[in-house]
Structures are given as structure tokens and as C-alpha cells.
Amino acid sequence: MAPAQRQARATGRHNRAPAQAQGDTLSTYTSPITRVDTARGHHYVDGAGTRVPGVTTILSSGLPKTALVNWAGKATAEYAIDHWDELAQLSPAKRLEKLQKARYAERDAAAKRGTEVHALAERLVKGEEVEVPDEIAGHVESYVQFLDAFQPEPLFVEFSVASYRHGYAGTGDLIAWFPTLGKTLLCDIKTNKSGIFGEIALQLAAYRYSDVMIDADGERDMPAVDGCAAIHVRADGADLIPVTAEGPQLRQFLYVQQVAEFNRTSQDLIGAPIEAPGLTRRRRLEVIA
């Protein structure tokens, strides 16, 4: 199949959300939804300037993170063991402060590594030459080996999507034709050490069944794909891992979205204390010997 044919195939069909995953009402966001990049990251706004929830933010706010809780305890304990002598020289208050912040230092380093690998992966999949920092050289070499092995032909790279029906937006990593598999796959790149967690199925389902893809020319129908996958990139290799992201996973994502919205607005449900009426007989407790 020629590249032009694959492009037509990828853009000519639309990923219609399965009937069991569709809501009865549309969201109230105004077209067009766009991505806004800032020094601290990115977010999404609609045509009226209203913030639109992002897919990863929804998952962070609405889905329990048991593995993250376990990781936080493990990271703190490892820091204490690795810095035992240093911590012993500090006052108890300073020691506590160090331990409380330890997991965030590891998290931020992992996030920085992930951002750098994503940025270089975007250029590599397009066939560009890149200059690689030493600290992520292993990850980049693994991704290069992955590209050589599977020969993915990119159709869309680092693209934004939006769902007006369900009220969310997001950014996908890659839609590519994999000639070795005979499939067009929607892929998300992960660089964490722990492996691929199940929530990626909800993330990819949200992307797959979005209403529109957003590019420099505006909005277009979300192109159809044959399936979804995670690309797990590590310093010692990279794996292509199939992910089931179908109608049931979209429905589950929408449940998570509802929980995230409740978490965001739950305090609004709590009113002020009710004052007692002015004419109230005072009660008195008596101690009976």
C-alpha cells in the first residue's frame, strides 16, 4: 500500500464512538478547542476561552493511584537508606522536610526524562537527526532500535484531539502505519521504569473516540485506526505493547471523568453551619450521684 493510500485510509474513516459509550447530551464547549502551550506545560481552551479538561488531568484526578501510593513509600524509604549519614547530621525538623520532599525529586527527574525522550522521539520518527544528552542516550538508542525493527510510517505525530460530545481534550503521541503488522496504530510513548499500567487503555480510548483532531489548519474528523498500543521505552530496550481501547474503555473513562468533576467541585456541596433559632430553651446536664 503506497503512502498516499495509507494517508487516505487513515483520514477517510472516522472513529465513531460505540453506541453504548455515547452520552445523551452534548457538552457546552464552543468550537474551536485549541491547545495553549505555556512555560509550565499546556492546557486547552474553547472558542470562548473556557478551560477544557485534559485527558491525563482527568485520569490523575478521578482514578485511584494505588501503585503511586506504594511508589511514594518506596521512594521515601530508598532515599532514607541512601542518605542515612547525611540525614543523621540534620535536626529532626530538617530531616523530616528532606524525607517529605524526596519522592518529588525522583518524580520530577522522571518527568523531565519523559519530556526529553518524547521530544526527541517526535523528531526521530520523522527521520530528523537529533543531538542526544548523555543522561537519556540509552532511551534514545532503544527508540532508534524500535524504529528500525518495526519501521513505523508516521501519519500524525504529537497531535491534539477534542471531544465536544463528552467535554475533554488531549494530546496523542503517534498514529502510524506499521507495515510489519499491516495495521494503523494509535500509540502512546511511556518511559517509566515500572511498566505499562492499565489506565493507558482509558487514555487511548479517549483519544481514539474523540470527535476531532486539531492541527495547524484547524479541526478534522478523528481518523480511524486498527488498534492501539503503548511504546515502552527504557534505557535497556523498547517494546510495542498492544492495548485494548474500545467502547467499554471509553465508557469507563467517562465514569472517571465524572469522579474527577466531583472531586473538583465537591466542596461546593458543603454549606455554612446552620444557626440555631433565637428562641430556644437552654438545656442543662445534671450529674446524678
Side-chain angles (χ1 to χ4, degrees):
M1 188 181 295
Q5 292 175 309
R6 287 192 291 274
Q7 180 78 4
R9 178 174 180 271
T11 58
R13 293 184 290 125
H14 181 57
N15 277 323
R16 298 296 178 188
Q20 71 270 23
Q22 293 181 350
D24 296 326
T25 59
L26 296 174
S27 71
T28 57
Y29 294 108
T30 303
S31 179
I33 292 175
T34 56
R35 168 172 157 155
V36 179
D37 293 300
T38 68
R40 299 181 61 182
H42 65 267
H43 61 272
Y44 308 92
V45 297
D46 73 352
T50 303
R51 289 280 286 260
V52 181
V55 169
T56 55
T57 299
I58 289 170
L59 291 173
S60 295
S61 302
L63 194 65
K65 296 289 193 298
T66 303
L68 192 59
V69 173
N70 295 336
W71 165 83
K74 181 174 179 288
T76 303
E78 288 177 347
Y79 181 88
I81 295 298
D82 293 340
H83 299 80
W84 192 270
D85 292 338
E86 174 189 333
L87 291 168
Q89 304 301 316
L90 302 176
S91 68
K94 288 293 184 181
R95 196 180 308 155
L96 176 61
E97 182 181 359
K98 283 280 189 180
L99 290 172
Q100 287 175 330
K101 293 180 178 180
R103 66 186 185 276
Y104 297 114
E106 181 175 330
R107 179 202 63 185
D108 293 345
K112 180 176 182 292
R113 180 182 66 243
T115 299
E116 291 175 342
V117 172
H118 270 78
L120 293 177
E122 178 183 352
R123 296 176 59 190
L124 285 168
V125 78
K126 294 177 180 178
E128 299 179 15
E129 292 186 2
V130 298
E131 185 174 337
V132 182
D134 290 340
E135 58 269 22
I136 60 170
H139 288 76
V140 175
E141 179 62 29
S142 294
Y143 192 64
V144 169
Q145 292 173 2
F146 166 82
L147 296 178
D148 290 341
F150 285 96
Q151 297 292 314
E153 300 175 14
L155 301 173
F156 303 99
V157 181
E158 192 73 12
F159 54 90
S160 294
V161 299
S163 171
Y164 289 97
R165 173 175 294 277
H166 298 305
Y168 64 79
T171 298
D173 290 334
L174 175 68
I175 295 178
W177 166 255
F178 284 75
T180 55
L181 305 176
K183 294 180 179 181
T184 298
L185 298 178
L186 167 58
C187 301
D188 193 78
I189 299 172
K190 299 295 186 186
T191 60
N192 57 296
K193 298 177 182 178
S194 306
I196 303 301
F197 295 106
E199 70 181 62
I200 192 176
L202 308 186
Q203 179 184 355
L204 288 171
Y207 295 161
R208 181 177 187 178
Y209 296 113
S210 295
D211 298 324
V212 296
M213 175 184 285
I214 306 162
D215 59 22
D217 298 324
E219 297 178 348
R220 66 170 80 192
D221 281 349
M222 185 66 190
V225 297
D226 298 311
C228 296
I231 303 174
H232 187 206
V233 182
R234 311 170 308 282
D236 63 348
D239 297 313
L240 181 66
I241 301 173
V243 176
T244 300
E246 308 287 348
Q249 287 71 51
L250 175 61
R251 169 53 61 196
Q252 290 162 343
F253 170 78
L254 297 178
Y255 292 149
V256 173
Q257 183 184 34
Q258 293 299 308
V259 174
E261 178 63 14
F262 171 77
N263 286 337
R264 188 182 71 84
T265 61
S266 59
Q267 282 305 115
D268 296 339
L269 306 176
I270 309 302
I274 299 174
E275 295 189 9
L279 298 177
T280 302
R281 187 175 68 178
R282 185 178 298 276
R283 297 178 183 270
R284 185 178 64 179
L285 295 177
E286 294 183 0
V287 179
I288 301 177

